[in-house]
Amino acid sequence: MLSIYSDEYFMKQAMAEAEKAAEAEEIPIGAVIVCQNRIIARAFNQTEKLHDVTAHAEIIAITAASEYLGNKYLKDCTLYVTLEPCLMCAGALNWSQISKIVYGASDEKKGFMRYGKELLHPKTKLEFGIFHEECSEMVRNFFEKKRKKNTAY
């Protein structure tokens, strides 16, 4: 049973955002930012819709959280994201000075951990693997469907 205010609860919320991305034929990555046990930002990938390579779930969530707080720093916030952030997103998270990042699935090809945790702000805590299989499966299924669709022509 999920208890409110747990990492699992908030990751489920990020997974719901990833589902919205999948429905919009975007890579299914979702994110939520939490401050004082309250979701202050929700986002999903929108690179196709916005024709913007920077419209990753994390970037959109950072912008929304900063706007909500009226501050560019997210020092008392936690990001929950379904896939390990890329280098671009890790850089933005570093600049935001976010307190904690929790991600579900690893991204061995484009994830920032290929280069190390040092890309994040020194005070940022990192956790990963919550609903790892479920988050991995969402991305895997998306690309399998995309490959099938492309070979059907």
Side-chain angles (χ1 to χ4, degrees), residues 61-77:
I62 290 167
T63 301
S66 295
E67 181 68 25
Y68 178 86
L69 294 172
N71 191 341
K72 65 182 178 179
Y73 298 116
L74 304 177
K75 291 182 180 181
D76 296 317
C77 299

Side-chain angles (χ1 to χ4, degrees), residues 8-75:
E8 291 80 8
Y9 172 81
F10 291 121
M11 185 60 76
K12 283 279 190 186
Q13 299 301 306
M15 292 167 68
E17 292 298 312
E19 289 291 338
K20 292 177 188 176
E23 290 168 11
E25 297 189 24
E26 299 275 358
I27 296 173
I29 300 169
V32 296
I33 295 182
V34 175
C35 185
Q36 298 176 352
N37 288 323
R38 182 176 181 189
I39 295 173
I40 62 168
R42 295 174 176 272
F44 57 88
N45 270 14
Q46 296 184 48
T47 59
E48 298 299 324
K49 176 184 177 185
L50 300 176
H51 307 287
D52 180 356
V53 296
T54 68
H56 290 196
E58 300 94 324
I59 300 295
I60 296 169
I62 290 167
T63 301
S66 295
E67 181 68 25
Y68 178 86
L69 294 172
N71 191 341
K72 65 182 178 179
Y73 298 116
L74 304 177
K75 291 182 180 181

Side-chain angles (χ1 to χ4, degrees), residues 63-129:
T63 301
S66 295
E67 181 68 25
Y68 178 86
L69 294 172
N71 191 341
K72 65 182 178 179
Y73 298 116
L74 304 177
K75 291 182 180 181
D76 296 317
C77 299
T78 300
L79 167 75
Y80 292 87
V81 61
T82 56
L83 186 68
E84 176 184 342
C86 70
L87 284 172
M88 174 185 70
C89 293
L93 290 161
N94 179 328
W95 287 110
S96 78
Q97 298 182 23
I98 198 155
S99 295
K100 183 178 173 184
I101 299 168
V102 180
Y103 66 86
S106 299
D107 185 350
E108 294 174 10
K109 292 182 181 177
K110 302 214 177 189
F112 79 95
M113 284 301 288
R114 289 184 64 194
Y115 303 95
K117 186 182 179 297
E118 297 76 30
L119 291 172
L120 302 176
H121 190 273
K123 292 182 180 177
T124 300
K125 294 180 179 125
L126 184 64
E127 289 185 35
F128 54 91

